[in-house]
Amino acid sequence: AGRRDSALAVLRVAAVRWESSPFEFGPPVVRVPPRERLAQLLLLMNRPAEALAQADSAKRMTPGRTQLLWVRSRSLEALGRPTEAR
């Protein structure tokens, strides 16, 4: 509906809840983890520094996800750090 700030708030809460859930047999299967989705939205909103911070945080829970690495790379490029992005 175009209410990006509201979406950010919901995703921040979802990320905290998801990360604080007990994962006896590993994290629950989700299509896109909330913190990764948060990083994607921040990147779309042209907020690459925040997107990078969220991507780095998401990387601790779900390392090696292709889409997460893509968001991280695009964030680094937007911040003028092309060598790190590669």
Side-chain angles (χ1 to χ4, degrees):
R3 296 184 311 226
R4 291 181 173 176
D5 288 330
S6 178
L8 290 175
V10 169
L11 284 168
R12 289 181 200 283
V13 170
V16 170
R17 285 183 180 171
W18 190 73
E19 292 167 357
S20 65
S21 297
F23 300 150
E24 294 177 17
F25 303 102
V29 177
V30 293
R31 187 168 180 194
V32 179
R35 196 163 302 276
E36 182 179 328
R37 180 68 78 195
L38 179 58
Q40 291 170 347
L41 182 57
L42 287 164
L43 188 58
L44 285 173
M45 294 172 69
N46 199 31
R47 293 163 66 173
E50 292 174 79
L52 180 61
Q54 292 299 322
D56 286 343
S57 185
K59 193 174 163 187
R60 285 183 234 125
M61 291 289 290
T62 56
R65 283 184 48 87
T66 304
Q67 285 299 104
L68 179 58
L69 296 175
W70 182 88
V71 170
R72 191 173 188 286
S73 176
R74 297 287 82 72
S75 298
L76 287 165
E77 278 187 13
L79 291 168
R81 297 160 57 183
T83 303
E84 289 176 79
R86 278 191 290 281

